[in-house]
Amino acid sequence: MSVHPSVSRSLAVALAFVTIAGCTSAEPDGTPYPTPVPLQSVDDAPAAVDAFLTAWRSGRFTDMYAMLTEVDRARVAEADFVDLLETFNRLTGAQDLEWRMGSIQPISLPATSAGAAGPVGPIPALRVPMRLRMITDLFGEIDMPRDLLLVAGATDWELKWSAAVVFPELGENGSLRLRRQEPTRGQIRSQDGTVFARTRDDGLRVYPQEWLAGQTIGYATPATRQDVAAGARPGLRRGELVGRSGLELGADELLAGSPGYTLMAYPANGEPVAVAQRRVVDGANVTITLRPDIQATADAAIAGYNEAGTAVIDPRNGDVWALSSAPLFNPNSMTIGTTVGGTPLAAPSDSARLNHATLAAYPAGSSFKVFTLAAALKIGVASPATRMTCNGTWPFSGFTFRNYEEHSLPGLVDLLQAMAFSCNTTYMPLSIMVYDQDTHVLTDLIREFGFGQSTGMEYLADTPGILPDHQYFESTKRWDDVFRPYGPFDQIQLAIGQGSYLGTPLQLANAYAAIGNGGKLWVPRIVVEARLPGGTLVERNRRALARRISLRAGHLDYVVDSMQAVVNYSYGTAYGPFIGFGIPVAGKSGTAETGGPDPDAWFPAIAPA
């Protein structure tokens, strides 16, 4: 920050005066009087300056005031002095003050300037050139080159004071104010340019795609006093848009941008002058991986359900192509109350606002049999040559387990046939064969596939679900309020996606993608990048591999074969829906009991298989 021109001119005159006074011993009329010798030692001046600035840095403004000259204390009330400095700190977010002292110059001041009531004549003083640097939250570093003037007091050097020490533009009795310029919240848009969220000229947030991916996009509304008090976002002010759900919430800081600030000096007489500025930065435009056409297909497929969720992931890299949730949700209902075209919208239910693809967890049913098969292949208790029965029932330890309506296949069947038929009485015994050899291998493998934990996807919240493994039962009581370790019955239930297990559509889709791509479990990616309106890249999110699944390629291939059997075998549970489909599909149906009349139905799949 530069010195105000009027101050520069006065300093030039003062310096010229010192030079002239040092060049002659004569005192013709009209020339200033020579510089008198101060009573205090010049060597004590640096300590006086340091004490004053240390008090400033520490916010001890009353101590600073006590160091001013008597005439300045008579002229400026302590309350006004303290208020100016406190206002400066508050408006700028001042955190620290650094300084560097230049060469001290002896000068003299007229008696009237010093306010002396004693002898008429020059007052001994010192000019101390300073390089002040104020470190602030709002404006960063503010350079303040200043000249401090010291006057010899009765016992020590005293500071000459005016508001110009803070900013020359303030004049003698000026004040400081802060102007704020609000940024425009960034857009959310797909890679093909489809805009999912934007801010209207009136400041309200609108969603041009209406119900399309509504829960995933989320919504943003003006901040309340409670939001500000809770620190919903650094620097948030009441009335600013703040994300409430979905990507609007997860990517809030990218979308919000940062306001601009101008610190204004208002002199007592004259026009206000800007003394420090931080430019406004509009919110970044966030590009996402959702594909509008695939998202629309997913939305249409589940729109008629009371509760449903769908996730579509690219197995090659983890990009999320669709996240659909029913009941469908139009974010405009939370912001403008109508569609973009003006049709009134009813208030959505809690279920409609919830993203069932990422935040709702369910038992997976028989779609988990693929992991049971993978575990059996991994430890060698089964192979493509394995043959087992698929009877209507299977007794174990005093209990009888059943297939759906006790259906069965005759004789011995291979594991592809049993998968196609979704035979509980094959895969339950297979899970016990795995358990007898290694009690941890099934649960460990399921955890490898990403269950019981967040997927790690950034900017969009997801629930970890529940993986009821050994660790889970060490800290979780059973239905009868008793701790019991993981056992064979837990293994049987987990083998068919029942018991205490809960997972999300996103987790299932990501796990099946890893089966289909050769064992790569990706971190799902939904935000590709964020760029400022001018094109400057703010953030780029590269594809990330969570881990490689510890299964041999041949084992994964056989699991895929079993999933194709579900679709291709005439008695496969998904044979009928895919007749004439035209694209080879590998998947596994799952029907999970919920304790009520309506089970949870699944079909995780990969295509083309």
Side-chain angles (χ1 to χ4, degrees):
M1 183 164 300
S2 62
V3 178
H4 191 278
S6 64
V7 176
S8 297
R9 287 194 295 272
S10 65
L11 293 183
V13 171
L15 289 172
F17 161 68
V18 171
T19 302
I20 294 169
C23 292
T24 178
S25 59
E27 297 184 17
D29 291 342
T31 60
Y33 25 76
T35 301
V37 178
L39 299 177
Q40 279 72 34
S41 170
V42 174
D43 294 339
D44 295 334
V49 172
D50 283 338
F52 184 78
L53 296 177
T54 299
W56 191 351
R57 179 168 61 188
S58 303
R60 294 183 285 109
F61 303 138
T62 300
D63 291 349
M64 292 174 65
Y65 186 78
M67 300 179 201
L68 304 185
T69 66
E70 181 180 353
V71 69
D72 286 325
R73 283 184 277 120
R75 180 176 52 84
V76 180
E78 181 177 348
D80 293 338
F81 175 84
V82 171
D83 180 68
L84 175 64
L85 295 177
E86 286 183 342
T87 299
F88 175 82
N89 281 5
R90 175 172 52 82
L91 296 183
T92 64
Q95 295 296 320
D96 197 7
L97 176 65
E98 299 173 352
W99 60 87
R100 189 171 69 247
M101 199 177 306
S103 298
I104 297 175
Q105 303 167 12
I107 62 172
S108 63
L109 299 174
T112 52
S113 297
V120 176
I123 303 299
L126 300 176
R127 177 184 291 112
V128 186
M130 299 296 304
R131 172 68 68 175
L132 304 181
R133 176 172 294 154
M134 186 68 72
I135 292 86
T136 71
D137 285 339
L138 203 56
F139 299 102
E141 296 182 356
I142 300 178
D143 285 328
M144 305 165 64
R146 301 287 186 267
D147 280 359
L148 297 184
L149 298 180
L150 301 181
V151 174
T155 61
D156 202 350
W157 291 105
E158 297 174 345
L159 268 291
K160 282 289 297 172
W161 175 260
S162 73
V165 173
V166 181
F167 288 111
E169 294 84 353
L170 285 168
E172 184 59 34
N173 296 305
S175 60
L176 293 171
R177 300 179 200 172
L178 195 64
R179 289 181 180 174
R180 178 180 170 113
Q181 182 183 356
E182 298 301 335
T184 300
R185 191 173 179 88
Q187 296 182 353
I188 300 175
R189 55 197 187 192
S190 64
Q191 290 173 290
D192 70 356
T194 301
V195 176
F196 282 89
R198 65 177 179 84
T199 303
R200 289 195 320 200
D201 291 341
D202 61 4
L204 294 177
R205 198 70 165 163
V206 293
Y207 302 90
Q209 306 310 313
E210 307 283 1
W211 285 270
L212 191 67
Q215 296 91 343
T216 298
I217 301 303
Y219 66 98
T221 57
T224 64
R225 183 181 292 108
Q226 291 77 12
D227 295 323
V228 174
R233 185 175 69 232
L236 181 67
R237 290 181 61 177
R238 188 177 179 184
E240 291 179 32
L241 289 175
V242 62
R244 303 296 184 183
S245 69
L247 289 168
E248 288 276 33
L249 173 60
D252 184 62
E253 291 195 24
L254 288 174
L255 294 163
S258 58
Y261 293 95
T262 304
L263 186 63
M264 304 294 297
Y266 285 77
N269 298 303
E271 294 298 317
V273 180
V275 293
Q277 193 165 27
R278 191 181 86 178
R279 68 181 184 87
V280 64
V281 178
D282 287 332
N285 296 319
V286 172
T287 301
I288 59 177
T289 60
L290 294 188
R291 296 194 174 187
D293 54 343
I294 296 176
Q295 180 70 46
T297 301
D299 282 359
I302 67 171
Y305 290 98
N306 292 329
E307 183 175 343
T310 297
V312 183
I313 291 178
D314 186 343
R316 299 166 299 182
N317 51 39
D319 281 359
V320 177
W321 286 356
L323 290 172
S324 187
S325 180
L328 301 184
F329 167 65
N330 189 330
N332 290 307
S333 63
M334 306 299 292
T335 58
I336 58 175
T338 68
T339 65
V340 174
T343 302
L345 291 169
S349 65
D350 290 343
S351 181
R353 291 199 300 269
L354 180 69
N355 193 334
H356 293 91
T358 61
L359 293 174
Y362 309 93
S366 291
S367 60
F368 248 46
K369 287 174 181 169
V370 297
F371 305 113
T372 304
L373 173 58
L377 295 170
K378 179 178 181 178
I379 62 172
V381 300
S383 72
T386 298
R387 300 293 184 271
M388 297 177 69
T389 60
C390 177
N391 299 324
T393 62
W394 175 62
F396 178 78
S397 191
F399 290 84
T400 299
F401 296 95
R402 293 174 170 80
N403 286 333
Y404 174 69
E405 294 186 349
E406 297 190 8
H407 289 169
S408 63
L409 291 174
L412 296 177
V413 298
D414 63 30
L415 297 177
L416 303 187
Q417 294 171 308
M419 188 70 76
F421 198 66
S422 197
C423 190
N424 291 338
T425 61
T426 302
Y427 278 92
M428 285 179 170
L430 184 63
S431 74
I432 292 300
M433 293 165 60
V434 171
Y435 181 86
D436 288 341
Q437 180 156 326
D438 187 333
T439 62
H440 288 268
V441 69
L442 178 60
T443 55
D444 287 352
L445 184 61
I446 290 172
R447 183 170 293 280
E448 269 192 69
F449 274 102
F451 297 99
Q453 59 203 282
S454 168
T455 63
M457 177 174 56
E458 292 187 286
Y459 302 109
L460 191 65
D462 68 336
T463 185
I466 296 175
L467 174 55
D469 57 6
H470 300 72
Q471 183 179 354
Y472 174 80
F473 286 113
E474 288 175 0
S475 58
T476 305
K477 292 181 178 180
R478 303 287 181 156
W479 60 272
D480 55 359
D481 202 36
V482 174
F483 287 107
R484 281 191 294 277
Y486 184 89
F489 282 96
D490 301 309
Q491 179 96 346
I492 291 169
Q493 291 295 310
L494 185 59
I496 60 167
Q498 295 273 188
S500 298
Y501 165 80
L502 295 173
T504 68
L506 178 64
Q507 287 175 319
L508 263 290
N510 204 35
Y512 269 60
I515 293 173
N517 67 23
K520 296 177 181 178
L521 185 76
W522 294 98
V523 176
R525 183 178 73 152
I526 193 166
V527 172
V528 177
E529 66 177 24
R531 289 182 181 270
L532 298 180
T536 300
L537 182 67
V538 174
E539 182 165 314
R540 174 171 290 150
N541 299 305
R542 302 191 182 278
R543 296 158 179 137
L545 188 66
R547 69 185 65 91
R548 291 184 178 272
I549 306 300
S550 60
L551 288 169
R552 288 165 43 193
H555 295 156
L556 286 166
D557 290 343
Y558 190 69
V559 173
V560 174
D561 290 344
S562 76
M563 293 157 56
Q564 286 188 285
V566 172
V567 175
N568 296 335
Y569 287 15
S570 61
Y571 50 84
T573 56
Y575 176 73
F578 286 97
I579 293 175
F581 189 65
I583 298 173
V585 174
K588 179 66 189 82
S589 59
T591 304
E593 297 177 4
T594 60
D598 297 321
D600 291 330
W602 291 85
F603 192 73
I606 55 174

